[in-house]
Amino acid sequence: MKTKKIKKPLTIDQKISRRNFISFGVFSAAALGGALAWKWLYNSPIETITVTGGARKPLRRALNKTELAFRKVFSNNNLVKTYPKSMAAKKVRVNSDIGIEAEKKFDITAWKLQVKKQNSEMLQVSLDDLKALPKTEIVFDFKCVEGWDQIQYWGGVKFSDFITHYKLDDQAKLGYIGMETPDKGYYVGIDMPSAMHPQTIMAYEVNAKPLPLEHGAPLRLIIPVKYGIKNLKRIGTITFSNTRPPDYWAERGYDYYSGL
Ligand SMILES: Nc1nc2c(c(=O)[nH]1)N[C@H]1C(S)=C(S)[C@@H](COP(=O)(O)O)O[C@H]1N2
Ligand SMILES: [Mo]
């Protein structure tokens, strides 16, 4: 007769050491996995600096995938939260001044908005022309990637109204707009759906008064669906294209899309 081998029950101490052994194994495997993943990322190539720059290629791929996912659900029916005027900051924060530095000469009276169509036709629009269009006002929470936000009150011409008025609808069928300061020191690229969002305005007022120079006089972009970096101060030129226009901060590694 065959005798069945009877498993001896483990003692408490044996159970504990067995569990320790297993958890140590799991921990080591996880740690090794993490280390290998890190090494893989660390050794992965850095993207070529074009309109975006500085990130490891896999990370940029992840950012671009995220952008595509967000753009699929982005809708111009979704509005950013707005606030009563009474909640707007009286002292509006000034952040940075790239392309609008105070020591640089700028003749505000000579300024005209340069609109460059894709067929390289040029349109020149004065501030008075823009002020003659319906005014749109917005009070919203302005957010900077550097970690501050402030409820602010801006007024100007809705970008989509501007497009309609100047019969630029064919240009608005392209994928992007580019904007740059008159001195070309600061520039942004913006996907067309965000530019055409009903809360996107080209502002010439803050707190119901003409824009001060440090906030981008005579005209600046206010695009509540994006972080502050895309809200270009002192618009010189607007361009239209199907490829991503150059973008100051994207070239320095920030997310091109920079949506909220
Ligand atoms: N021309 C120009 N526009 C700019 C910037 C800049 O440095 N130069 N900084 C951007 C950033 S990072 C932010 S947060 C906002 C700040 O706008 P504000 O100075 O009116 O608060 O402007 C954006 N537009
Ligand atoms: Mo910012």
Side-chain angles (χ1 to χ4, degrees):
M1 204 167 92
K2 255 192 181 165
T3 50
K4 249 197 188 155
K5 224 187 185 174
I6 295 165
K7 252 194 182 166
K8 240 197 339 193
L10 297 172
T11 67
I12 291 287
D13 275 356
Q14 280 172 322
K15 271 190 190 159
I16 290 175
S17 75
R18 187 162 169 236
R19 266 190 213 162
N20 281 345
F21 181 73
I22 292 169
S23 22
F24 183 70
V26 170
F27 171 79
S28 309
L32 183 67
L36 287 175
W38 170 251
K39 208 170 163 216
W40 169 74
L41 193 57
Y42 189 80
N43 290 327
S44 63
I46 293 179
E47 63 182 326
T48 330
I49 296 182
T50 51
V51 288
T52 57
R56 296 283 166 188
K57 278 188 173 174
L59 290 182
R60 179 66 59 194
R61 271 201 300 274
L63 270 176
N64 288 344
K65 285 256 159 57
T66 314
E67 169 175 343
L68 289 180
F70 271 97
R71 288 179 70 165
K72 234 177 245 163
V73 296
F74 183 89
S75 153
N76 280 347
N77 300 321
N78 292 339
L79 297 181
V80 164
K81 186 174 156 83
T82 56
Y83 298 83
K85 283 176 191 168
S86 60
M87 281 181 74
K90 299 281 170 296
K91 236 184 118 116
V92 182
R93 187 165 171 156
V94 177
N95 205 56
S96 43
D97 64 350
I98 305 161
I100 62 165
E101 296 85 351
E103 62 275 13
K104 274 195 204 156
K105 269 208 292 284
F106 174 66
D107 183 3
I108 198 165
T109 57
W111 176 92
K112 272 195 176 154
L113 179 63
Q114 314 286 324
V115 185
K116 217 188 231 165
K117 297 210 225 169
Q118 250 218 338
N119 60 7
S120 65
E121 227 175 83
M122 239 351 193
L123 197 75
Q124 297 202 344
V125 185
S126 73
L127 192 59
D128 286 338
D129 296 337
L130 292 171
K131 283 186 172 166
L133 300 183
K135 185 167 26 168
T136 299
E137 298 189 322
I138 184 164
V139 183
F140 76 106
D141 194 12
F142 187 103
K143 297 188 176 84
C144 169
V145 287
E146 287 170 69
W148 58 267
D149 67 288
Q150 190 178 51
I151 297 175
Q152 300 174 344
Y153 166 28
W154 300 92
V157 55
K158 196 187 281 194
F159 189 76
S160 63
D161 286 349
F162 161 79
I163 291 292
T164 312
H165 181 83
Y166 286 96
K167 302 192 168 43
L168 294 163
D169 312 71
D170 55 328
Q171 301 295 305
K173 286 191 187 113
L174 303 177
Y176 295 89
I177 60 159
M179 282 187 178
E180 58 184 24
T181 52
D183 74 348
K184 306 185 192 320
Y186 195 83
Y187 38 92
V188 298
I190 293 177
D191 56 284
M192 198 60 76
S194 298
M196 294 297 282
H197 185 276
Q199 290 171 311
T200 300
I201 65 178
M202 293 193 287
Y204 47 76
E205 286 181 359
V206 61
N207 285 335
K209 293 196 190 74
L211 273 192
L213 283 170
E214 65 271 23
H215 282 302
L219 192 73
R220 63 106 38 103
L221 182 64
I222 287 293
I223 181 159
V225 296
K226 300 282 188 201
Y227 279 103
I229 45 176
K230 294 283 188 183
N231 291 242
L232 181 133
K233 298 192 274 191
R234 194 181 296 163
I235 309 170
T237 311
I238 303 182
T239 56
F240 300 86
S241 63
N242 265 328
T243 50
R244 284 176 166 185
D247 185 281
Y248 186 89
W249 284 113
E251 285 169 3
R252 286 155 184 80
Y254 282 78
D255 178 28
Y256 192 94
Y257 190 62
S258 284
L260 289 176

